[in-house]
Amino acid sequence: MGLKNNHSEIIFWLLQLIGWSMINAMIFIIPELSNQYKVYSFITATFGSIIVTSFFRLFLKNKIDFNNFRASSIYEILTSLVFCAGIYYGLFILLENIYELFWKRTPEEILWLLDNYSHLSTLLSAFFTILVWAVIYILVKFVLTTNKNRLENLELNATLREAQLNTLKGQVNPHFMFNSLNNIRGLMLEDVSKSREMITKLSEMLQYALSKNTVDAIALSEEVDMVDNYVALAKIQMEDRLHYEKEIDAESLEVMIPPMIIQLLVENAAKHGIANLKNGGKILLQTIVTATELQIVVKNTGKLSISENSTKLGLKNIRQRLRLLYGPKGQFTLEEIENEVVATIKIPTT
């Protein structure tokens, strides 16, 4: 990104120098002016134009958001344009007075300046010059901004698809599937109807994971149903060591969320939390809806400790998907509070 910015800056300054040099070089075709004045005017006008328009550009970059262009932006641009035209005019008068202090004008030069320059025409010329420069700059800026946004959207979509694929890889955990099948096989010797129910839940989980991988958002109620299936399967192995509770805000059930994001939190709580406790513990799923956001909280008994061998793929996927879908408004935190590990996701609802 830094190299791209430096490259753009170099191009801007080269265009500034070349463009203003070509415009001000027209003074050399005027026969009434002395060569001394032509050289002086060419040098001072070129660098003066570069300085004034560069300050104008600095204002546009800092004050005008081209991604969110509004009617008020036009007013701000016109106001600053008049201001810069005034500076441009004042600079021209100053440079002319400086020339007259150190050099003597020829009679032909004086007559030509009297015929072609007045305070009003000079001011209008300054305004028109800055206006043309501003129109060209803003048009180029709009084109570049549009192309940049288009490229970012393409990159966003590509990255989002990749993140969803990585999420699928992290969610359909071969270890979990293998253990679930083994546990169901053992359960069949004790309770055939129960084992049949668990096979159904496992099948629903697989179908859910495969079908929802291609969408960006689903209703929270769908995700909660899938989490119930996961907990039921996990309880085959953990039995009474795993206590699962829900406190679901009714208003949250229809809120759209990224698929498999709650399931990942619950799986993480069971695998890294409850499974490591001799006496087991509790997982609590809470959802809270405020005026501006949905809060999803998963608490589990235990300490916050992640194995050194862990790839942390699940946690990375959560952060990446929230960033891609919601920008800075999508937040994820994982912390230990009073012998509980608390994972919190915040998703904007407005």
Side-chain angles (χ1 to χ4, degrees):
M1 184 63 73
L3 291 175
K4 288 183 180 179
N5 289 337
N6 290 337
H7 184 64
S8 299
E9 285 296 310
I10 291 172
I11 291 177
F12 170 77
W13 290 111
L14 281 176
L15 290 176
Q16 278 278 80
L17 182 61
I18 294 171
W20 286 117
S21 296
M22 292 177 63
I23 292 172
N24 290 301
M26 294 179 65
I27 198 169
F28 288 104
I29 65 174
I30 302 173
E32 291 85 358
L33 303 179
S34 66
N35 290 332
Q36 180 177 269
Y37 178 71
K38 289 177 182 178
V39 173
Y40 173 84
S41 180
F42 170 75
I43 294 174
T44 56
T46 296
F47 286 98
S49 300
I50 290 175
I51 291 170
V52 173
T53 52
S54 295
F55 275 112
F56 188 31
R57 177 203 182 212
L58 186 63
F59 167 81
L60 294 176
K61 288 179 68 175
N62 293 332
K63 299 295 183 181
I64 305 299
D65 183 4
F66 288 94
N67 289 314
N68 186 27
F69 201 80
R70 299 167 296 179
S72 59
S73 301
I74 298 175
Y75 173 76
E76 292 175 349
I77 291 173
L78 289 175
T79 302
S80 59
L81 195 151
V82 172
F83 180 72
C84 286
I87 295 177
Y88 192 84
Y89 165 76
L91 184 63
F92 174 82
I93 299 299
L94 176 64
L95 293 173
E96 289 296 304
N97 289 333
I98 290 174
Y99 182 86
E100 292 179 354
L101 284 176
F102 295 97
W103 294 281
K104 186 177 180 181
R105 298 188 184 277
T106 64
E108 295 82 4
E109 195 170 273
I110 294 172
L111 287 174
W112 187 89
L113 290 171
L114 288 173
D115 290 338
N116 291 276
Y117 282 107
S118 67
H119 287 292
L120 180 60
S121 65
T122 302
L123 183 59
L124 291 175
S125 176
F127 179 81
F128 179 75
T129 301
I130 299 295
L131 175 62
V132 171
W133 182 93
V135 169
I136 294 173
Y137 177 82
I138 291 171
L139 286 175
V140 171
K141 188 72 175 178
F142 267 123
V143 171
L144 292 177
T145 300
T146 302
N147 285 335
K148 180 183 176 183
N149 290 339
R150 183 175 62 84
L151 290 174
E152 285 181 349
N153 286 333
L154 290 174
E155 182 182 356
L156 177 68
N157 290 331
T159 306
L160 185 56
R161 297 279 83 80
E162 182 181 356
Q164 290 174 329
L165 179 58
N166 287 337
T167 301
L168 179 60
K169 292 175 181 177
Q171 299 310 313
V172 185
N173 190 321
H175 255 307
F176 173 74
M177 303 303 299
F178 179 76
N179 289 337
S180 295
L181 287 172
N182 269 339
N183 292 332
I184 292 172
R185 185 180 64 176
L187 184 63
M188 290 180 69
L189 300 175
E190 303 173 8
D191 191 337
V192 176
S193 61
K194 182 72 172 179
S195 61
R196 186 184 297 115
E197 180 187 348
M198 292 301 106
I199 290 174
T200 302
K201 291 184 181 297
L202 183 59
S203 174
E204 289 175 352
M205 281 190 65
L206 279 172
Q207 183 181 11
Y208 178 91
L210 292 171
S211 64
K212 301 305 180 183
N213 184 55
T214 56
V215 299
D216 295 335
I218 60 168
L220 183 138
S221 57
E222 290 186 65
E223 179 82 352
V224 171
D225 290 342
M226 201 273 286
V227 170
D228 290 343
N229 286 346
Y230 169 80
V231 172
L233 287 166
K235 276 191 172 186
I236 299 176
Q237 181 176 1
M238 298 186 193
E239 298 179 333
D240 292 338
R241 294 173 58 230
L242 173 57
H243 301 276
Y244 175 61
E245 296 180 9
K246 293 184 293 184
E247 294 177 5
I248 307 298
D249 188 334
E251 294 183 11
S252 69
L253 292 174
E254 298 304 317
V255 177
M256 304 301 286
I257 65 169
M260 296 187 287
I261 207 163
I262 299 179
Q263 187 268 337
L264 180 53
L265 292 181
V266 174
E267 181 180 345
N268 196 64
K271 180 180 177 182
H272 298 289
I274 309 304
N276 296 325
L277 300 176
K278 182 179 179 180
N279 297 321
K282 183 178 73 173
I283 296 177
L284 172 63
L285 169 60
Q286 294 177 309
T287 62
I288 304 165
V289 178
T290 68
T292 59
E293 66 183 13
L294 165 68
Q295 295 180 17
I296 302 170
V297 181
V298 174
K299 300 178 182 179
N300 68 270
T301 310
K303 300 287 185 180
L304 179 56
S305 61
I306 300 175
S307 171
E308 293 181 0
N309 296 325
S310 173
T311 61
K312 302 180 184 178
L313 177 62
L315 301 181
K316 289 178 182 177
N317 280 342
I318 289 176
R319 290 192 172 93
Q320 186 179 21
R321 295 173 75 195
L322 291 175
R323 178 180 63 83
L324 290 170
L325 291 169
Y326 307 107
K329 292 184 177 180
Q331 299 177 20
F332 171 60
T333 58
L334 185 64
E335 55 190 340
E336 182 181 326
I337 304 175
E338 297 179 354
N339 296 320
E340 284 188 323
V341 178
V342 181
T344 305
I345 289 176
K346 294 182 180 181
I347 295 174
T349 56
T350 57

